Amino acid sequence: MEVKNKILLIIFAICLISSSILAFMPVNKICGDQVSSCSIVQHSKYESTLGINNSYFGVIAFTLLIFLLISNSRKPEDYKKLILNIVITASAIAAIYFIYLQLFIIKAICPYCMIVDTGAIAALAIILVTRKNEN
């Protein structure tokens, strides 16, 4: 497995763990009291999309990314690389939006959310930098 893919795998695993914590643990256990910054974000009107908690989307996306990355490392295919690039780009765009919401609309920061968001943006940066070096 290439170094780039190993780094991406680590990022995706960290993001999956953080998303899973948010998805499957009670908010009061991970965030503390109701007035904590984390709890404010988790109880905001932006906690879900289409009635589904955003952390579930993170669990699905990062699980998919891990499987695709491993599969593409073992047997490279253009369509796998394309799907990886699309999901990573969509995740980074969503991450930028969620960071904007936390900083400027909700005015509170969820540390677990920031781990996921930063990881998604870092993955996109790695893809863009290595793509430039590959060409």
Side-chain angles (χ1 to χ4, degrees), residues 65 68-69 72 80-89:
L65 285 166
L68 273 171
L69 185 66
N72 194 50
K80 291 176 190 175
K81 187 174 179 180
L82 177 64
I83 294 170
L84 274 166
N85 288 339
I86 289 170
V87 176
I88 290 170
T89 302

Side-chain angles (χ1 to χ4, degrees), residues 29-77:
K29 293 270 189 202
I30 57 172
C31 294
D33 61 28
Q34 290 290 333
V35 296
S36 74
S37 191
C38 173
S39 187
I40 291 168
V41 172
Q42 291 304 307
H43 288 103
S44 76
K45 68 180 184 177
Y46 302 102
E47 75 175 329
S48 62
T49 302
L50 302 173
I52 301 170
N53 190 306
N54 292 324
S55 56
Y56 295 137
F57 290 116
V59 170
I60 293 166
F62 291 108
T63 300
L64 173 67
L65 285 166
I66 288 169
F67 282 116
L68 273 171
L69 185 66
I70 292 169
S71 175
N72 194 50
S73 293
R74 291 184 177 161
K75 185 178 178 192
E77 301 277 352

